[in-house]
Amino acid sequence: MKNLNSVLFYSLEKAIKTYRQFAQRELKKAGLTITVDQWLTLKCLFDNPDISQKELAEMVFKDTASITRIIELLVKAKYLNKTDHKYDKRKSNISITSSGLETIRFAEQVVESYRKTALKGIGIAKENHVNAVMKTIINNCQ
């Protein structure tokens, strides 16, 4: 059996975990009080204002219970507003507050910066190749 360090999926997992830890440190260093998951949730809601909570959970790779907790924390922090759906009491309307919009605008700059740092030395050709490989793995596993 191969040594774990020589297994592609082990390296992928390690890269993802290392990147998320780095991203969280960078958000905190910039003075932001949100987590990486909260950032992803805000950004997805900003880009897809009419998205359902189930679709949102899928988009940020969370189960519905986790996305519900994240939304509640963002409501508590006054980044989101949550109101009852007009016709379906099982659903909620979620909207981004002005404070949430300010946070998104500032965080986008921070995220762009730390992504650039993480990809330093990679180059667009390698980045495109890695994206193609990842899409192939995804398709093979679905």
Side-chain angles (χ1 to χ4, degrees), residues 11-39:
S11 295
L12 282 172
E13 187 71 24
K14 186 174 182 179
I16 290 165
K17 289 191 183 313
T18 303
Y19 173 74
R20 285 182 62 87
Q21 291 167 349
F22 170 68
Q24 191 60 60
R25 283 192 312 271
E26 292 299 302
L27 290 172
K28 187 175 181 178
K29 191 164 71 175
L32 289 159
T33 58
I34 58 173
T35 65
V36 171
D37 289 333
Q38 289 170 340
W39 155 249

Side-chain angles (χ1 to χ4, degrees), residues 62-112:
K62 297 292 173 193
D63 58 50
T64 51
S66 295
I67 203 66
T68 298
R69 283 191 300 277
I70 291 168
I71 289 169
E72 291 305 322
L73 289 169
L74 291 169
V75 167
K76 188 176 178 182
K78 301 194 182 333
Y79 295 132
L80 296 178
N81 282 323
K82 185 176 175 185
T83 57
D84 291 334
H85 190 275
K86 192 174 184 178
Y87 303 110
D88 189 344
K89 296 296 179 199
R90 297 170 296 170
K91 295 182 179 180
S92 300
N93 296 316
I94 301 167
S95 59
I96 302 170
T97 65
S98 58
S99 176
L101 289 173
E102 280 181 39
T103 299
I104 290 168
R105 288 188 186 103
F106 179 62
E108 282 181 323
Q109 296 168 21
V110 176
V111 170
E112 174 115 2

Side-chain angles (χ1 to χ4, degrees), residues 38-62:
Q38 289 170 340
W39 155 249
L40 289 171
T41 301
L42 283 171
K43 179 65 172 150
C44 286
L45 284 168
F46 180 77
D47 291 343
N48 308 279
D50 296 324
I51 195 170
S52 73
Q53 202 164 318
K54 183 180 179 198
E55 293 168 322
L56 178 62
E58 290 170 6
M59 194 173 268
V60 297
F61 314 109
K62 297 292 173 193

